[in-house]
Amino acid sequence: MIRWISALVGLAFVFVVSLGLFSSIVGVITDPAPPTAEHFVHEEHPLLDAGLPSSGLLGKFDLRQVQRGFQVYKEVCAACHSLRHVAFRDLKEIGYDEGQVKAIAAAWVVEQPSVNPETGEPATRKNTPADHFPLVYANDVAARAANNNAVPPDLSLMTKARHDGPDYIYSLVGHGYVPQPKELLAKFPDAATPKGLHYNQYFANLNIAMPPPLTSAGQVEYLDGTKPTVDQMAKDVAAFLTWTAEPNLDARHGAGLAVLGFLLIFCFLAWGAYQNVWRDLKH
């Protein structure tokens, strides 16, 4: 008797859940959600393709481009955004030698927090290659106070934290800051950008606290002589942030090719063994 009651209770539960699911599906079909300004803009302006050499299954970093991107980060982005998961010594992987890394670390604007051994008072010291990039702000309270109540995100893993991360960075900083279209305001009157924010057609809700970081060509003077257009600087900083998020990308792609090669050889050997073992039993 108890089994029958349990079965009936289970069937009733399944029926109620199925009915709710069916009602939800019917509601979505018959009464879809009204379009929003964000969906309208993002459908009209999909992310641009950065075309980075690191993209794709066989992609590899262009170290010169990554170095240029580091230069853009250092001169433009580092005033607000940290790289908490990257150490100065990691810069060797993009082509800097030990002396250059030491010089970069020692000259970095933000120093490492420390304690005066004589007085016990808080102090700072010069960065060393073993240190991680120091935080720009001591905490979120200080960050909000300096940025109109907005906290600049850490950029170490930004290209992993956003869908199509390299393309997102490239589109956002290089081509996203445009005048808000009048037709958008005519269609969505409530979509006007609030005071203190900036319209960006690639940002999630179209209104971003960060002012345009790349404002004009020549903002950064590249050491290798590359022409520093806004588009080029946006591509280069996207390449650098792709590297910070996945510095072992080249090795991972190389390992993937080796595994594929092994699997192909293994399949060929397995097929040959099959043909040899079963050749006398085939009719």
Side-chain angles (χ1 to χ4, degrees):
M1 186 65 179
I2 297 177
R3 290 183 178 179
W4 282 104
I5 294 175
S6 300
L8 289 174
V9 171
L11 288 173
F13 177 77
V14 171
F15 173 76
V16 172
V17 172
S18 301
L19 183 62
L21 179 60
F22 177 76
S23 300
S24 299
I25 295 174
V26 171
V28 170
I29 295 174
T30 59
D31 187 21
T36 63
E38 293 87 346
H39 290 112
F40 176 77
V41 173
H42 293 158
E43 287 181 0
E44 291 288 321
H45 302 281
L47 293 178
L48 303 175
D49 182 8
L52 301 181
S54 56
S55 301
L57 295 176
L58 304 179
K60 288 189 175 183
F61 289 118
D62 178 348
L63 295 186
R64 289 183 61 187
Q65 182 179 45
V66 176
Q67 287 186 9
R68 292 196 304 269
F70 171 64
Q71 191 177 348
V72 175
Y73 167 77
K74 180 174 67 173
E75 298 183 21
V76 178
C77 310
C80 298
H81 296 278
S82 302
L83 285 178
R84 68 169 71 229
H85 297 298
V86 183
F88 286 101
R89 63 187 173 193
D90 294 334
L91 296 178
K92 292 182 186 177
E93 298 178 17
I94 62 173
Y96 291 105
D97 60 36
E98 188 172 352
Q100 290 173 314
V101 172
K102 287 183 178 179
I104 291 171
W108 202 254
V109 176
V110 182
E111 297 185 341
Q112 291 290 332
S114 182
V115 176
N116 189 320
E118 298 179 358
T119 64
E121 295 294 326
T124 59
R125 62 169 176 79
K126 294 288 186 182
N127 296 289
T128 68
D131 291 320
H132 282 71
F133 281 79
L135 299 178
V136 178
Y137 303 104
N139 49 52
D140 287 353
V141 175
R144 291 184 186 278
N147 294 279
N148 195 25
N149 205 36
V151 179
D154 184 89
L155 297 182
S156 307
L157 304 174
M158 185 55 67
T159 58
K160 288 293 186 182
R162 299 291 183 270
H163 180 66
D164 291 332
D167 295 340
Y168 171 79
I169 297 294
Y170 166 66
S171 302
L172 182 83
V173 301
H175 300 276
Y177 291 93
V178 297
Q180 192 168 31
K182 293 181 180 179
E183 56 269 24
L184 177 66
L185 295 178
K187 190 175 181 66
F188 301 96
D190 296 334
T193 299
K195 185 178 180 180
L197 299 181
H198 306 270
Y199 178 78
N200 190 300
Q201 61 187 0
Y202 296 110
F203 193 62
N205 66 0
L206 306 180
N207 301 310
I208 187 171
M210 179 177 67
L214 303 175
T215 56
S216 61
Q219 188 173 346
V220 174
E221 186 176 350
Y222 283 138
L223 300 178
D224 65 357
T226 300
K227 187 175 180 180
T229 62
V230 170
D231 181 79
Q232 184 65 54
M233 290 186 289
K235 283 185 179 181
D236 294 342
V237 76
F240 173 68
L241 294 179
T242 302
W243 173 79
T244 64
E246 193 171 7
N248 297 320
L249 179 141
D250 289 356
R252 180 171 64 82
H253 284 178
L257 287 176
V259 170
L260 288 176
F262 169 79
L263 291 175
L264 288 173
I265 294 174
F266 176 80
C267 289
F268 176 77
L269 293 175
W271 178 81
Y274 167 80
Q275 295 293 325
N276 184 61
V277 170
W278 293 94
R279 67 175 179 230
D280 295 332
L281 300 178
K282 291 183 178 179
H283 299 288

